[in-house]
């Protein structure tokens, strides 16, 4: 898979201690890459990064990406060939509580990574992770395409739209001529999977309640979201990274990696499926919001990735939740066993 591009390549992941970054590190290790992670320390001992013992498997540097000089020095020291930028203040609610940190981390942090790439000759490919929330939500019933208008009414969404503009400006201004670095931005939906213990995220909230035998409390049960298992967008990022590395410039620019429309499911249906897979548990809805479709649900049109990258989602909704709950069920096991289960899921996924 991925034409063996990652074997023995030095790859920097920013945000390796986070949920998606830690899964990406595991997958890259499986592909034979030499992984260097740059981020803040993990937040809890249950985070996927800690639970899988990643600190013993990759080189990790605790570094705030807002420090541009330090970041450039690290890139010069490690000379990566491929970069995946995931580090971010990734929670919408926190964006309201601390907009300054959200903008400085997400926007200036991204500019700092772009600068580090620009000044590091070894870099051939860079993938910048933003979000489906970078689009201006125009309440369309059809999917948003890569060239649709950017926007965002809250600080998190707007900061990510700003990242998109920064990436596009670097492609046009610096990285589209003689430079050997090809970069792209990627937009995915609501990602779920084992080892995510973030606050105010539906799956961690469900699992925390189930572990304590408390009812799962749903504030917005009728909200429809584009659920994806973490391996789905990561497979797109890896595919794109390999093509940027080998085939170059025609893959630069923005890409959507959303789920199929069948994975647009209500929060309540998701919670019910989690309970079913967990084996027991109950749900308490704070409101009677049971409408199946909200007017303003935004979903991604993935035609570009399907046609040009031959990428497509592989897991249906049942598999998405089954993989996820299985990954939480091993939480109490030893690090080696948790790591091995992640690898098993990656192999199973690659074989589909
Ligand atoms: N989880 C989702 O559903 C989802 C959906 C769409 C997009 N995204 C995007 O994917 C990326 C990863 O998301 P996640 O869910 O893994 O988030 P996460 O909160 O689990 O991890 C965030 C990572 O960023 C690092 N980080 C935060 N601030 C930093 C700073 N100032 N300097 C250095 N590192 C810093 C953290 O240490 C951590 O490693 C983010 O860019 C996020 O916006 C996530």
């Amino acid at each position: 898979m991925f034409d063996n591009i990652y074997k023995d390549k030095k790859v920097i992941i920013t945000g390796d201690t986070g949920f998606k970054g830690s899964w990406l590190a595991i997958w890259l290790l499986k592909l034979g890459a030499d992984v260097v992670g740059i981020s803040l320390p993990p937040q809890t001992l249950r985070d996927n990064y800690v639970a899988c013992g990643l600190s013993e498997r990759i080189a990790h540097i605790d570094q705030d990406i807002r420090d541009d000089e330090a970041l450039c020095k690290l890139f010069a020291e490690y000379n990566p060939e491929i970069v995946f930028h995931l580090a971010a203040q990734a929670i919408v609610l926190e964006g309201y509580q601390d907009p300054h940190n959200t903008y400085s981390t997400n926007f200036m942090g991204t500019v700092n990574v772009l600068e580090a790439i620009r000044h590091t000759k070894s870099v051939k490919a860079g993938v910048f992770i933003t979000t489906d929330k970078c689009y201006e939500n125009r309440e369309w019933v059809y999917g948003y395409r890569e060239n649709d208008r950017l926007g965002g009414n809250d600080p998190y969404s707007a900061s990510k739209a700003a990242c998109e503009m920064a990436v596009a400006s670097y492609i046009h201004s610096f990285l589209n001529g003689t430079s050997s670095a090809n970069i792209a931005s990627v937009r995915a939906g609501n990602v779920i999977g084992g080892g995510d213990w973030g606050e105010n995220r539906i799956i961690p909230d469900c699992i925390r309640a189930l572990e304590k035998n408390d009812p799962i409390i749903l504030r917005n049960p009728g909200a429809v979201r584009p659920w994806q298992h973490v391996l789905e967008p990561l497979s797109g990022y890896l595919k794109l990274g390999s093509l940027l590395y080998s085939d170059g410039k025609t893959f630069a620019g923005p890409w959507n990696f959303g789920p199929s429309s069948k994975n647009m499911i209500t929060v309540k249906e998701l919670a019910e499926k989690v309970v079913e897979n967990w084996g027991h548990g109950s749900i308490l809805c704070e409101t009677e919001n049971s409408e199946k479709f909200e007017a303003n649900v935004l979903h991604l049109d993935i035609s570009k990735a399907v046609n040009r990258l031959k990428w497509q989602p592989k897991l249906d909704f049942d598999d998405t939740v089954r993989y996820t709950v299985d990954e939480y069920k091993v939480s109490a096991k030893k690090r080696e066993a948790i790591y091995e289960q992640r690898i098993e899921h990656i192999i199973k996924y690659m074989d589909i």
Side-chain angles (χ1 to χ4, degrees):
M1 215 178 185
F2 314 122
D3 291 332
N4 226 10
I5 288 288
Y6 293 101
K7 186 150 179 45
D8 299 327
K9 296 287 183 321
K10 177 88 68 182
V11 180
I12 281 189
I13 301 176
T14 71
D16 59 311
T17 56
F19 165 49
K20 286 167 77 176
S22 57
W23 272 94
L24 182 60
I26 296 169
W27 200 333
L28 281 164
L29 286 172
K30 170 80 189 112
L31 296 170
D34 181 1
V35 180
V36 178
I38 298 176
S39 65
L40 301 180
Q43 302 224 308
T44 76
L45 292 177
R46 302 185 87 190
D47 287 358
N48 198 44
Y49 175 88
V50 184
C52 294
L54 278 186
S55 62
E56 284 142 40
R57 297 178 188 271
I58 65 171
H60 167 81
I61 301 105
D62 281 346
Q63 176 61 57
D64 194 316
I65 56 164
R66 289 171 293 186
D67 185 338
D68 56 337
E69 276 181 31
L71 202 61
C72 262
K73 270 194 197 145
L74 284 175
F75 272 61
E77 184 183 336
Y78 285 97
N79 284 309
E81 288 171 88
I82 304 170
V83 176
F84 290 94
H85 173 49
L86 292 95
Q89 189 301 95
I91 309 279
V92 176
L93 210 62
E94 253 180 71
Y96 288 104
Q97 285 153 5
D98 193 349
H100 189 276
N101 173 43
T102 302
Y103 279 108
S104 62
T105 300
N106 295 2
F107 180 63
M108 280 316 294
T110 295
V111 172
N112 292 343
V113 174
L114 285 163
E115 278 293 282
I117 289 180
R118 185 161 82 93
H119 291 109
T120 310
K121 294 278 169 282
S122 57
V123 181
K124 291 201 163 48
V127 180
F128 286 76
I129 284 70
T130 70
T131 171
D132 56 358
K133 296 181 178 64
C134 68
Y135 291 107
E136 182 187 347
N137 189 341
R138 301 167 81 180
E139 308 229 331
W140 291 334
V141 290
Y142 43 87
Y144 287 65
R145 285 181 296 202
E146 284 83 350
N147 52 0
D148 281 324
R149 199 188 297 164
L150 299 171
N153 289 335
D154 64 275
Y156 170 75
S157 306
S159 73
K160 287 290 189 169
C163 294
E164 287 283 348
M165 297 187 78
V167 171
S169 76
Y170 268 70
I171 293 173
H172 290 294
S173 306
F174 307 116
L175 304 175
N176 201 18
T178 52
S179 165
S180 63
N182 299 307
I183 62 170
S185 61
V186 294
R187 303 148 180 187
N190 283 45
V191 180
I192 61 176
D196 180 13
W197 294 100
E199 296 296 328
N200 297 308
R201 284 181 170 174
I202 180 68
I203 294 285
D205 285 349
C206 286
I207 303 294
R208 278 188 281 262
L210 291 170
E211 284 181 337
K212 288 193 268 175
N213 283 322
D214 287 346
I216 296 170
I217 297 178
L218 301 181
R219 284 175 298 273
N220 206 2
V224 175
R225 296 286 176 267
W227 310 108
Q228 295 176 281
H229 188 269
V230 62
L231 296 179
E232 302 267 37
L234 294 190
S235 71
Y237 306 166
L238 286 165
K239 177 108 197 189
L240 182 59
S242 70
L243 290 166
L244 286 167
Y245 182 91
S246 60
D247 289 13
K249 307 210 179 301
T250 57
F251 295 99
W255 296 86
N256 288 342
F257 291 108
S260 84
S261 54
K262 289 189 188 135
N263 274 27
M264 302 285 291
I265 304 270
T266 64
V267 167
K268 185 163 180 232
E269 284 168 291
L270 176 74
E272 285 167 352
K273 191 57 81 182
V274 170
V275 170
E276 182 188 317
N277 279 276
W278 188 259
H280 57 86
S282 59
I283 296 170
L284 204 68
C285 296
E286 280 192 339
T287 60
E288 275 313 308
N289 173 5
S290 58
E291 275 179 28
K292 214 160 159 106
F293 292 106
E294 293 169 298
N296 61 353
V297 176
L298 185 154
H299 74 273
L300 298 171
D301 181 322
I302 55 171
S303 315
K304 183 179 168 189
V306 170
N307 288 306
R308 290 202 54 211
L309 304 183
K310 309 296 173 227
W311 173 89
Q312 59 179 5
K314 294 178 175 182
L315 303 178
D316 63 17
F317 181 62
D318 283 354
D319 285 339
T320 301
V321 180
R322 189 156 40 79
Y323 269 54
T324 300
V325 174
D326 284 353
E327 288 153 7
Y328 279 99
K329 280 183 179 167
V330 298
S331 297
K333 290 201 172 165
K334 290 209 162 83
R335 286 176 179 178
E336 191 61 37
I338 299 177
Y339 182 80
E340 283 311 319
Q341 190 223 32
R342 304 318 195 220
I343 295 284
E344 258 173 47
H345 278 196
I346 288 169
I347 293 171
K348 207 160 114 188
Y349 181 84
M350 290 199 289
D351 285 345
I352 298 172

